[in-house]
Amino acid sequence: MSKLLELDDVTDPACCAPLSGPTLGEEEAAELAGVFKALSDPVRLRLLNMIASAEGAEACVCDLTGSFELTAPTISHHLKVLRQAGLIDGERRGTWVYYRVVPERLTRLAGLFALPALTSA
Amino acid sequence: MSKLLELDDVTDPACCAPLSGPTLGEEEAAELAGVFKALSDPVRLRLLNMIASAEGAEACVCDLTGSFELTAPTISHHLKVLRQAGLIDGERRGTWVYYRVVPERLTRLAGLFALPALTSA
């Protein structure tokens, strides 16, 4: 998933261009499409919401499974998709894995939808 | 697509909550997942970029087809998906349809990824 992680390079001036800005290249469009595909599932959106809003900015996988009528392997699959898209990161500590959002990735997406010129129109 | 259009109600306080904010309900998660599904295609992202960055904030469909090695019906299909997701709006004037982005929808997505507490950490 090294290609996706390239998006995290916020020092790259092309990195955080809005959709209303410069032309989106084919390669970046393909990478972003992959991130949106990861986001195109209600369970994954709710998991991301739970992780992003967790106290201490991290969530134990043990606290994520209870909110869904889904098996632990299914939740793990969804978390893996979010992780492969670079949206979350996980760290094993003892028995459990703890997840955090990757702020650079979410900030990049926020920047993508920023429309300064249009929203003031 | 009336359900999707409900997201455009920016006067609703729950409308623009970030992922790091209140719990995302099942219904809103499903609606947002549909929007991200519309965004999970490189051609649609490039079309949205071309429309959002067009001079005068609108793009004639006649100017959108030339950048892709795709047939006009395929481009029309992608534009229809973006329109059904509430991301763009189109107006026929004479021979051509002119597209604009729906600023409220893009602003809602930008707000979704805003992470004030986390990005300053």
Side-chain angles (χ1 to χ4, degrees):
Chain A
M1 305 308 292
S2 61
K3 283 219 165 185
L4 280 171
L5 290 174
E6 283 172 17
L7 281 180
D8 290 337
D9 181 8
V10 289
T11 59
D12 176 358
C15 139
C16 299
L19 278 170
S20 58
T23 302
L24 194 62
E26 281 186 48
E27 199 180 331
E28 192 179 10
E31 289 169 359
L32 285 169
V35 176
F36 290 125
K37 195 172 160 96
L39 291 167
S40 69
D41 180 280
V43 172
R44 290 201 285 274
L45 283 175
R46 288 171 63 206
L47 283 168
L48 192 59
N49 170 231
M50 290 168 77
I51 296 166
S53 63
E55 215 177 307
E58 71 174 12
C60 173
V61 67
C62 57
D63 292 325
L64 296 173
T65 47
S67 300
F68 301 92
E69 288 183 13
L70 296 167
T71 63
T74 300
I75 296 290
S76 289
H77 162 74
H78 285 307
L79 290 167
K80 187 179 168 187
V81 173
L82 290 173
R83 196 169 175 166
Q84 286 180 333
L87 290 159
I88 61 170
D89 209 348
E91 184 191 1
R92 179 173 289 278
R93 292 205 297 274
T95 309
W96 303 111
V97 179
Y98 293 79
Y99 289 97
R100 291 177 168 271
V101 296
V102 177
E104 294 82 358
R105 177 60 63 114
L106 271 68
T107 301
R108 195 279 175 259
L109 294 178
L112 191 72
F113 296 111
L115 284 175
L118 288 171
T119 48
S120 63
Chain B
M1 306 307 293
S2 62
K3 283 219 164 185
L4 280 172
L5 290 175
E6 284 171 19
L7 281 179
D8 289 337
D9 181 7
V10 290
T11 58
D12 175 359
C15 137
C16 299
L19 278 170
S20 59
T23 302
L24 194 63
E26 282 185 46
E27 199 180 331
E28 192 180 9
E31 289 169 359
L32 285 169
V35 177
F36 290 125
K37 195 171 160 92
L39 291 167
S40 68
D41 181 281
V43 172
R44 289 199 287 272
L45 283 174
R46 289 171 62 206
L47 283 168
L48 192 59
N49 170 232
M50 290 168 77
I51 295 165
S53 63
E55 215 176 307
E58 72 174 12
C60 173
V61 67
C62 56
D63 292 325
L64 295 174
T65 47
S67 300
F68 300 93
E69 289 184 12
L70 296 168
T71 63
T74 300
I75 296 290
S76 288
H77 162 74
H78 285 306
L79 290 167
K80 186 180 169 188
V81 173
L82 289 172
R83 196 170 176 167
Q84 286 180 332
L87 290 158
I88 61 170
D89 209 348
E91 185 191 359
R92 178 173 292 278
R93 293 205 296 274
T95 309
W96 304 110
V97 180
Y98 292 79
Y99 290 97
R100 292 177 166 271
V101 296
V102 176
E104 295 83 359
R105 178 59 62 112
L106 271 68
T107 301
R108 195 281 176 257
L109 294 178
L112 191 72
F113 295 111
L115 284 176
L118 288 171
T119 48
S120 63

Coordinates of all heavy atoms in Angstrom, one line a residue, chain A residues 16-52:
Chain A
C16 N -2.3 18.6 -1.1 CA -3.5 19.0 -0.5 C -4.4 19.9 -1.3 O -5.1 20.7 -0.8 CB -3.2 19.6 0.9 SG -2.4 18.3 2.0
A17 N -4.2 19.8 -2.6 CA -4.9 20.6 -3.5 C -6.4 20.3 -3.4 O -6.8 19.1 -3.4 CB -4.4 20.4 -4.9
P18 N -7.3 21.3 -3.4 CA -8.7 21.0 -3.4 C -9.2 20.6 -4.8 O -8.5 20.8 -5.8 CB -9.3 22.4 -3.1 CG -8.3 23.4 -3.5 CD -7.0 22.8 -3.4
L19 N -10.4 20.0 -4.8 CA -11.0 19.6 -6.1 C -11.2 20.8 -7.0 O -11.2 20.7 -8.2 CB -12.3 18.9 -5.9 CG -12.2 17.4 -5.5 CD1 -13.6 16.9 -5.1 CD2 -11.7 16.6 -6.7
S20 N -11.3 22.0 -6.4 CA -11.6 23.2 -7.2 C -10.2 23.8 -7.6 O -10.2 24.9 -8.2 CB -12.3 24.2 -6.3 OG -11.6 24.5 -5.2
G21 N -9.1 23.1 -7.3 CA -7.8 23.6 -7.7 C -7.2 23.0 -8.9 O -8.0 22.8 -9.9
P22 N -5.9 22.7 -8.9 CA -5.3 22.2 -10.1 C -5.8 20.9 -10.6 O -6.5 20.2 -9.8 CB -3.8 22.1 -9.7 CG -3.7 22.8 -8.4 CD -5.0 22.8 -7.8
T23 N -5.5 20.6 -11.8 CA -6.0 19.3 -12.4 C -5.5 18.1 -11.6 O -4.3 18.0 -11.3 CB -5.5 19.2 -13.9 OG1 -6.0 20.4 -14.6 CG2 -6.0 18.0 -14.5
L24 N -6.4 17.3 -11.3 CA -6.1 16.0 -10.6 C -5.5 15.0 -11.6 O -6.2 14.7 -12.6 CB -7.4 15.5 -10.0 CG -7.4 14.4 -9.0 CD1 -6.7 14.9 -7.7 CD2 -8.9 14.0 -8.7
G25 N -4.3 14.6 -11.3 CA -3.7 13.6 -12.3 C -4.4 12.2 -12.2 O -5.0 11.9 -11.2
E26 N -4.1 11.5 -13.2 CA -4.7 10.1 -13.3 C -4.3 9.3 -12.1 O -5.1 8.6 -11.5 CB -4.4 9.4 -14.6 CG -5.2 9.9 -15.8 CD -4.9 9.1 -17.0 OE1 -4.9 7.8 -16.9 OE2 -4.7 9.7 -18.1
E27 N -3.0 9.4 -11.7 CA -2.5 8.5 -10.7 C -3.1 8.9 -9.3 O -3.6 8.1 -8.5 CB -1.0 8.6 -10.6 CG -0.3 7.5 -9.9 CD 1.2 7.6 -9.8 OE1 1.8 8.2 -10.8 OE2 1.8 7.2 -8.8
E28 N -3.2 10.2 -9.0 CA -3.7 10.7 -7.8 C -5.2 10.4 -7.7 O -5.8 10.0 -6.7 CB -3.5 12.1 -7.5 CG -3.8 12.5 -6.1 CD -3.6 14.0 -5.7 OE1 -3.3 14.8 -6.6 OE2 -3.7 14.3 -4.5
A29 N -5.9 10.5 -8.9 CA -7.3 10.2 -8.9 C -7.6 8.7 -8.5 O -8.5 8.4 -7.8 CB -7.9 10.5 -10.3
A30 N -6.7 7.9 -9.1 CA -6.8 6.4 -8.8 C -6.6 6.1 -7.3 O -7.3 5.3 -6.7 CB -5.9 5.6 -9.6
E31 N -5.6 6.8 -6.7 CA -5.3 6.6 -5.3 C -6.5 7.1 -4.4 O -6.9 6.4 -3.5 CB -4.0 7.4 -4.9 CG -2.8 6.7 -5.5 CD -1.5 7.6 -5.3 OE1 -1.7 8.8 -4.8 OE2 -0.5 7.2 -5.7
L32 N -7.0 8.3 -4.7 CA -8.1 8.8 -4.0 C -9.3 8.0 -4.1 O -10.1 7.8 -3.2 CB -8.4 10.3 -4.4 CG -7.4 11.3 -3.9 CD1 -7.7 12.7 -4.6 CD2 -7.6 11.5 -2.4
A33 N -9.6 7.5 -5.3 CA -10.7 6.6 -5.6 C -10.7 5.4 -4.6 O -11.7 4.9 -4.1 CB -10.8 6.2 -7.0
G34 N -9.5 4.9 -4.4 CA -9.3 3.7 -3.5 C -9.6 4.1 -2.1 O -10.2 3.3 -1.3
V35 N -9.3 5.3 -1.7 CA -9.6 5.8 -0.3 C -11.1 5.9 -0.2 O -11.7 5.4 0.8 CB -8.9 7.1 0.0 CG1 -9.3 7.6 1.4 CG2 -7.4 7.0 -0.1
F36 N -11.8 6.5 -1.2 CA -13.2 6.6 -1.1 C -13.9 5.3 -1.2 O -15.0 5.1 -0.6 CB -13.7 7.5 -2.2 CG -13.3 9.0 -2.0 CD1 -12.6 9.7 -2.9 CD2 -13.6 9.6 -0.8 CE1 -12.2 11.0 -2.7 CE2 -13.2 10.9 -0.5 CZ -12.5 11.6 -1.5
K37 N -13.3 4.3 -1.8 CA -13.9 3.0 -1.9 C -13.9 2.4 -0.4 O -14.9 1.8 0.0 CB -13.1 2.1 -2.8 CG -13.9 0.8 -3.2 CD -13.1 0.0 -4.3 CE -13.5 -1.4 -4.3 NZ -14.6 -1.8 -5.2
A38 N -12.8 2.6 0.3 CA -12.7 2.2 1.7 C -13.8 2.9 2.5 O -14.3 2.3 3.5 CB -11.4 2.5 2.3
L39 N -14.2 4.1 2.2 CA -15.2 4.9 2.9 C -16.6 4.6 2.5 O -17.5 5.1 3.1 CB -14.9 6.4 2.8 CG -13.6 6.9 3.4 CD1 -13.3 8.3 3.0 CD2 -13.8 6.9 5.0
S40 N -16.8 3.8 1.4 CA -18.1 3.6 0.8 C -18.9 2.5 1.5 O -19.7 1.8 0.8 CB -18.0 3.4 -0.7 OG -17.4 2.1 -0.9
D41 N -18.7 2.3 2.8 CA -19.4 1.2 3.5 C -19.8 1.8 4.9 O -19.0 2.4 5.6 CB -18.4 0.0 3.7 CG -19.1 -1.1 4.5 OD1 -19.2 -1.0 5.7 OD2 -19.5 -2.0 3.9
P42 N -21.1 1.7 5.2 CA -21.6 2.3 6.4 C -20.9 1.8 7.7 O -20.7 2.6 8.6 CB -23.1 1.9 6.4 CG -23.4 1.5 5.1 CD -22.2 1.0 4.4
V43 N -20.6 0.5 7.7 CA -19.9 0.0 8.9 C -18.6 0.6 9.1 O -18.2 1.0 10.2 CB -19.9 -1.6 8.9 CG1 -19.0 -2.1 10.0 CG2 -21.3 -2.2 9.0
R44 N -17.8 0.7 8.0 CA -16.5 1.3 8.1 C -16.6 2.8 8.5 O -15.7 3.3 9.2 CB -15.8 1.1 6.7 CG -15.4 -0.3 6.5 CD -14.3 -0.4 5.5 NE -14.7 -0.2 4.1 CZ -15.2 -1.2 3.3 NH1 -15.4 -2.4 3.7 NH2 -15.5 -0.9 2.0
L45 N -17.6 3.5 8.0 CA -17.8 4.9 8.4 C -18.0 5.0 9.9 O -17.5 5.9 10.6 CB -18.9 5.5 7.6 CG -18.6 5.9 6.1 CD1 -19.8 6.4 5.4 CD2 -17.5 7.0 6.1
R46 N -18.9 4.1 10.4 CA -19.2 4.1 11.8 C -18.0 3.8 12.6 O -17.8 4.3 13.7 CB -20.4 3.2 12.1 CG -21.7 3.8 11.5 CD -22.9 2.9 11.6 NE -23.2 2.5 13.0 CZ -23.7 1.4 13.4 NH1 -24.1 0.5 12.5 NH2 -24.0 1.2 14.7
L47 N -17.2 2.8 12.2 CA -16.0 2.4 12.9 C -15.0 3.6 12.9 O -14.4 3.9 14.0 CB -15.3 1.2 12.2 CG -15.9 -0.1 12.4 CD1 -15.3 -1.2 11.5 CD2 -15.7 -0.6 13.9
L48 N -14.9 4.3 11.8 CA -14.0 5.4 11.7 C -14.4 6.5 12.6 O -13.6 7.2 13.3 CB -13.9 5.9 10.2 CG -12.8 6.9 9.9 CD1 -11.4 6.4 10.1 CD2 -12.9 7.4 8.4
N49 N -15.8 6.7 12.7 CA -16.3 7.7 13.6 C -16.0 7.3 15.1 O -15.7 8.2 15.9 CB -17.9 7.8 13.3 CG -18.7 8.5 14.4 OD1 -19.6 8.0 14.9 ND2 -18.3 9.8 14.7
M50 N -16.2 6.1 15.4 CA -15.9 5.6 16.8 C -14.4 5.8 17.1 O -14.1 6.2 18.3 CB -16.3 4.1 16.9 CG -17.8 3.9 16.9 SD -18.3 2.2 16.7 CE -18.0 1.7 18.4
I51 N -13.6 5.5 16.2 CA -12.1 5.7 16.5 C -11.8 7.2 16.6 O -11.0 7.6 17.5 CB -11.3 5.0 15.4 CG1 -11.5 3.5 15.4 CG2 -9.8 5.3 15.5 CD1 -11.1 2.7 14.2
A52 N -12.3 8.0 15.6 CA -11.9 9.4 15.6 C -12.5 10.1 16.8 O -11.9 11.1 17.3 CB -12.5 10.1 14.3

